[in-house]
Amino acid sequence: MPETTVSPLRSIGKRVIGAILALLATVLIVYLDRDGYRDANGDGLTLLDAFYYATVSLSTTGYGDIAPATQSARLINILVITPLRVLFLIVLVGTTLEVLTERSRQAFKIQKWRHKVRDHVVIVGFGTKGRATVKTLLGDEKVEPNHIVVVDTNQEALDAAGAMGLVTVHGSATRSDVLRVAGAQRARAVVVAANRDDTAVLVTLTAREMAPKAHIVASVREAENVHLLKQSGANQVVISSETAGRLLGMATSTPVVVDMVEDLLTPESGLAIAERDVEPSEHGGSPRHLPDIVLGLVRDGTLYRVDAPQADAIEPGDKLLYVRKVTQVEEVNGQ
């Protein structure tokens, strides 16, 4: 679960250093005042005896073979060594309690999230494609950050996702236990944004087996692998390399067309492609006669272009794909 934490090694290291400093301070105090202590052997205190006494005293063992005899040594024990003993115990016991409490708190937090979350989105891979997907979900789709789960093997990528408030799972999404931790069996959508096509196929197979009703969208680099993704259970496949190549080719002769396509694909500004339900007053009419710029009609999960015969008349339950104005045209054109 997303949260700001200190490195465990650094946290434990600070406590170990604190305990050692408390021990050394006690050794120094006892050794400097060694004449005020009585040894059971009666041969006086050496530096080793001072270490021994400091160790058994701070750990509250107290065998009694070395004890303060003079009034000054006892006063120093009361005012100095006893606080050091308490500090030493706080450092050691506090570290143990903090580790156990943090583990229990995190486990409880994860269990609570698993039982509560439904219809979330699982994103496999937090590279360039995965980050763009999250940006779209947070901006245009208005999805809450805690309803987006990122699965990746790169800890730096997961740290970046956690800083955005997303839930992160470390591991390979080709394994069913990792997807189970991400709650894929209850997700409404799974986005496969792996860097390799063979990995995308295996992740899609695993996700489809675990979540038969989820909407799976996968990205591939090569068009020849599209049928493999669809056979593996992907509802939609996006060819990233060919799409980029088409835009590059168009930019050589009609760069303004590329600008318009990028504008339509950017939900934060300019124009954006959106979907909406038809209104009762629009039933029976033609989508070409609506005030909105309608691009297509979705009926029973099938998309029909606006010039298709099936889209001549709007029926109840249809959805419209249209161009939605996000900001003023002047802002888009930079005027």
Side-chain angles (χ1 to χ4, degrees), residues 175-191:
R175 298 174 51 185
S176 58
D177 57 337
V178 174
L179 288 179
R180 188 173 293 107
V181 172
Q185 63 274 22
R186 298 185 301 273
R188 69 174 175 86
V190 178
V191 179

Side-chain angles (χ1 to χ4, degrees), residues 20-43:
I20 292 175
L21 291 177
L23 178 63
L24 293 178
T26 305
V27 171
L28 180 62
I29 292 172
V30 173
Y31 186 72
L32 292 177
D33 194 28
R34 58 187 178 276
D35 294 336
Y37 289 80
R38 182 180 65 250
D39 187 3
N41 298 326
D43 54 359

Side-chain angles (χ1 to χ4, degrees), residues 5-22:
T5 58
V6 180
S7 170
L9 292 178
R10 184 176 180 181
S11 179
I12 294 176
K14 287 183 178 180
R15 286 165 171 76
V16 172
I17 292 174
I20 292 175
L21 291 177

Side-chain angles (χ1 to χ4, degrees), residues 7-259:
S7 170
L9 292 178
R10 184 176 180 181
S11 179
I12 294 176
K14 287 183 178 180
R15 286 165 171 76
V16 172
I17 292 174
I20 292 175
L21 291 177
L23 178 63
L24 293 178
T26 305
V27 171
L28 180 62
I29 292 172
V30 173
Y31 186 72
L32 292 177
D33 194 28
R34 58 187 178 276
D35 294 336
Y37 289 80
R38 182 180 65 250
D39 187 3
N41 298 326
D43 54 359
L45 264 67
T46 63
L47 181 60
L48 180 59
D49 292 331
F51 267 101
Y52 169 75
Y53 173 77
T55 303
V56 298
S57 179
L58 292 184
S59 63
T60 68
T61 304
Y63 295 113
D65 49 352
I66 299 177
T70 64
Q71 295 295 327
S72 61
R74 292 174 178 174
L75 182 63
I76 291 175
N77 261 260
I78 294 173
L79 299 179
V80 180
I81 295 182
T82 297
L84 287 174
R85 181 185 299 117
V86 175
L87 175 63
F88 188 83
L89 291 176
I90 289 176
V91 169
L92 295 184
V93 178
T95 300
T96 304
L97 289 177
E98 182 177 348
V99 171
L100 294 177
T101 302
E102 176 61 24
R103 288 182 177 177
S104 299
R105 188 183 67 85
Q106 188 72 357
F108 177 76
K109 190 176 181 181
I110 292 175
Q111 284 295 113
K112 183 179 179 181
W113 175 84
R114 288 181 182 174
H115 286 90
K116 183 179 179 180
V117 70
R118 293 290 189 279
D119 298 330
H120 58 292
V121 180
V122 177
I123 298 178
V124 179
F126 200 63
T128 303
K129 293 176 288 188
R131 292 170 190 263
T133 303
V134 170
K135 185 178 180 182
T136 302
L137 290 173
L138 295 177
D140 192 43
E141 301 296 331
K142 308 299 181 183
V143 178
E144 294 295 330
N146 61 353
H147 275 65
I148 299 177
V149 183
V150 174
V151 181
D152 206 311
T153 56
N154 188 333
Q155 188 58 48
E156 293 183 0
L158 294 179
D159 292 340
M164 299 173 63
L166 311 178
V167 180
T168 61
V169 175
H170 185 277
S172 173
T174 58
R175 298 174 51 185
S176 58
D177 57 337
V178 174
L179 288 179
R180 188 173 293 107
V181 172
Q185 63 274 22
R186 298 185 301 273
R188 69 174 175 86
V190 178
V191 179
V192 182
N195 293 325
R196 294 168 53 96
D197 288 1
D198 53 350
T199 303
V201 172
L202 186 54
V203 170
T204 303
L205 278 170
T206 308
R208 178 52 71 199
E209 180 182 13
M210 180 172 296
K213 296 182 179 180
H215 187 80
I216 299 180
V217 182
S219 170
V220 293
R221 300 176 63 89
E222 303 297 336
E224 61 185 15
N225 296 324
V226 172
H227 73 286
L228 294 177
L229 266 299
K230 291 188 175 181
Q231 290 177 359
S232 301
N235 298 99
Q236 288 180 303
V237 181
V238 178
I239 309 173
S240 57
S241 58
E242 287 200 3
T243 302
R246 292 191 189 99
L247 292 177
L248 290 173
M250 292 168 59
T252 60
S253 56
T254 55
V256 291
V257 175
V258 178
D259 293 338

